[in-house]
Amino acid sequence: MTDCEDLIKDFALIHDGDRILKTGVWSDLKKDFSGKVTDMGDVTIVPGLINSHIHLELSHLKDKTVEGQGFTSWVKSLLSNPLYELEEKAICCALQFMLENGTVFCADISTRNCAQIASIMDNSGIGFYAFCEAIGLHTPSAKSKFFPNKKFRNGHTAGAGHSLYSTSPELLQAVKNADNDAGMPFSIHLAENVEEDEIIAHGTGEFAAMLKRAGMLADCGNKGLTPVEYADSITLLDETTLAIHCVKISEKDIQILADRKVNVCLCPRSNKYIGEGRAPWEKIISSGINTCLGTDSIASNYDLNMWNELEYLLKNIEKPISGHKALSLVTSNSAKALKIDELYGSLEEGKKAVFATVPAHLEDLLF
Ligand SMILES: [Zn+2]
C-alpha cells in the first residue's frame, strides 16, 4: 500500500538505500531492473509507522509506576524513581524495539537530556524530532533559547511545552513562537485528565495542592475555562500545534480544536494505564481533526509497539473505522501533524525508503 488506501498486489518498491526511486507492480518494474532483489513474501507493506509522542528519557521505568490509580498517584510513583540520570542502554533498547516493530519516526519529548537523546536517536537510524520540553513558572527573556540549533542526519530539535498547569503562559507562548520561527511543530500535553480540568477551571484539587507545595503550579486561569478554552485564550492553538491526549474534552472543545486546525495525538493505552478513562476517539476522528497516535513513555504503557497501540484503539472504538483511516492514524496523519510529509507518511517517489509490514494477526482487523 503506497498511501494506505489502495492495496496493490505484487507490489514492489525500488530504492537507493535512502529514498524511494519508484513503486509499482513487480511484473512491470522487473523488466527494467537489474539490482538486488529482496522478496518480502506474502505480507502487506505499508508506510513506516510514526510514533507521535514518546519520552525516551523514561525508558528505564518499565513496570516502575502504579497502574490504574489516576494521575496524581501515577505522578507520585513516577517521582519515587531515579529520573535524572540518563540510561543510554535502556534508550537504545527502546529504539531497537521500535525499529523492529515498524516505527521509523518518533517525536520524543525530553525535559533534561534533549541534545544527548537526539544524538542517540540519530545514531539508531530512526527519524525524529527531539522536543526540548519547557517546564516552569518563569517568564523567559528575549534572548532565551529553547532548543539547540544543531543539525542531525535523521532529525531535528524543536521546542515543546509541558502543560498549561506546570508552565507559565509566557514561557509556553515564547516556545511556540520559537518553533514557528524555526518552522517546527509545537507539542503540548493538553486535557489529559480530570486533575488538569479542575486546576484550569478552579485551581483546586489534590494535584494542584501537590504542585503548589512544590512551587510548580502555574498561574493558569482559574476562570472556569476548560483546558482547551484556556489554551485557545493564550493563543497556543493553531495548525502547527500538536495537542497530546485530549481525554477530557467537550463537544465545544472539539469544535475549537477543529476550527483552529490543531493536530491531536491520542495515547489510548497510556490513558488506560494511568486510569483516566479515554478520549472521545469517535468524535475527534469524525470531526475532521487531523488525528494521530503515540505510545507516550514506557512509564505509562505496556510496550512501545505502535501496532499494539492501533490494535487497542480498533478493538475498543465504538464506531468502527476503515483500514485506510486506521492506518493513516499512524502514518499519513502523523506525518502531516509533524510537518514531515515531504519525507514520511506514504510510499512515494522521493520520500524515505522506510516501510512496515502489517503483523499477520492484524490483517483481518484492518482489511
Ligand atoms: Zn507525555
Side-chain angles (χ1 to χ4, degrees):
M1 301 181 87
T2 54
D3 58 1
C4 301
E5 197 144 15
D6 297 315
L7 203 55
I8 302 167
K9 286 203 168 161
D10 192 28
F11 174 74
L13 179 155
I14 298 176
H15 64 88
D16 63 4
D18 178 37
R19 302 296 180 93
I20 296 169
L21 303 174
K22 227 176 214 179
T23 62
V25 176
W26 178 233
S27 54
D28 294 337
L29 292 180
K30 71 179 175 190
K31 291 172 196 149
D32 304 313
F33 184 75
S34 57
K36 187 183 160 220
V37 177
T38 306
D39 183 352
M40 300 295 294
D42 186 14
V43 293
T44 307
I45 292 171
V46 294
L49 310 188
I50 297 169
N51 187 343
S52 297
H53 186 67
I54 184 169
H55 304 252
L56 284 166
E57 69 188 351
L58 303 179
S59 294
H60 56 295
L61 297 180
K62 183 166 167 53
D63 302 325
K64 296 281 169 60
T65 54
V66 294
E67 186 185 339
Q69 297 179 29
F71 193 68
T72 307
S73 300
W74 180 81
V75 169
K76 282 181 187 165
S77 73
L78 178 75
L79 295 176
S80 70
N81 287 286
L83 295 178
Y84 297 97
E85 291 291 317
L86 191 69
E87 296 208 16
E88 188 166 342
K89 201 172 160 208
I91 295 172
C92 290
C93 286
L95 286 165
Q96 192 58 36
F97 178 85
M98 290 200 292
L99 286 162
E100 282 166 7
N101 289 284
T103 298
V104 300
F105 190 100
C106 67
D108 181 64
I109 310 284
S110 166
T111 319
R112 293 170 295 276
N113 307 294
C114 185
Q116 277 166 284
I117 294 177
S119 293
I120 298 170
M121 287 192 284
D122 209 34
N123 290 335
S124 77
I126 204 163
F128 67 89
Y129 274 120
F131 281 104
C132 303
E133 186 174 64
I135 183 166
L137 311 187
H138 59 285
T139 300
S141 76
K143 286 185 195 152
S144 299
K145 291 229 180 322
F146 304 105
F147 47 92
N149 186 14
K150 211 177 149 200
K151 285 251 177 281
F152 295 92
R153 268 172 306 157
N154 300 311
H156 298 276
T157 55
H162 177 261
S163 67
L164 299 171
Y165 56 78
S166 64
T167 315
S168 71
E170 295 81 11
L171 184 51
L172 292 171
Q173 286 164 334
V175 174
K176 176 147 181 67
N177 290 340
D179 280 328
N180 278 350
D181 291 346
M184 297 292 157
F186 169 75
S187 165
I188 183 167
H189 298 102
L190 184 68
E192 183 176 358
N193 47 56
V194 66
E195 287 88 340
E196 180 176 344
D197 236 16
E198 195 180 341
I199 292 177
I200 304 299
H202 311 296
T204 52
E206 187 193 348
F207 188 54
M210 193 175 125
L211 288 169
K212 207 169 191 173
R213 277 197 301 276
M216 290 179 67
L217 181 64
D219 172 16
C220 51
N222 200 359
K223 294 179 191 126
L225 299 178
T226 66
V228 170
E229 288 168 340
Y230 173 61
D232 194 35
S233 76
I234 57 170
T235 63
L236 294 181
L237 303 183
D238 62 32
E239 70 277 6
T240 64
T241 298
L242 182 61
I244 316 297
H245 296 301
C246 295
V247 171
K248 301 289 174 194
I249 55 172
S250 65
E251 299 214 357
K252 192 177 157 207
D253 290 333
I254 291 175
Q255 196 53 52
I256 293 171
L257 294 169
D259 289 346
R260 301 285 180 263
K261 298 188 168 56
V262 171
N263 305 280
V264 168
C265 174
L266 303 171
C267 302
R269 291 187 303 161
S270 172
N271 303 141
K272 178 186 184 291
Y273 183 103
I274 290 177
E276 290 281 358
R278 73 158 171 94
W281 306 330
E282 300 80 356
K283 285 180 185 166
I284 293 173
I285 292 169
S286 65
S287 73
I289 289 173
N290 185 48
T291 312
C292 54
L293 295 188
T295 56
D296 216 329
S297 82
I298 197 68
S300 64
N301 207 332
Y302 311 92
D303 60 61
L304 300 174
N305 188 334
M306 286 299 290
W307 285 119
N308 291 346
E309 206 63 45
L310 185 61
E311 181 179 8
Y312 177 79
L313 179 124
L314 294 177
K315 285 188 168 164
N316 291 284
I317 198 163
E318 282 162 15
K319 218 161 89 187
I321 54 174
S322 68
H324 163 237
K325 231 176 189 168
L327 286 166
S328 60
L329 297 173
V330 291
T331 57
S332 53
N333 289 7
S334 331
K336 189 179 164 208
L338 294 164
K339 320 296 169 210
I340 51 167
D341 42 354
E342 270 185 27
L343 291 177
Y344 296 91
S346 63
L347 297 175
E348 291 171 85
E349 195 183 315
K351 292 199 181 187
K352 285 273 186 188
V354 284
F355 55 86
T357 54
V358 177
H361 73 282
L362 292 186
E363 292 266 355
D364 285 345
L365 195 62
L366 284 168
F367 308 121

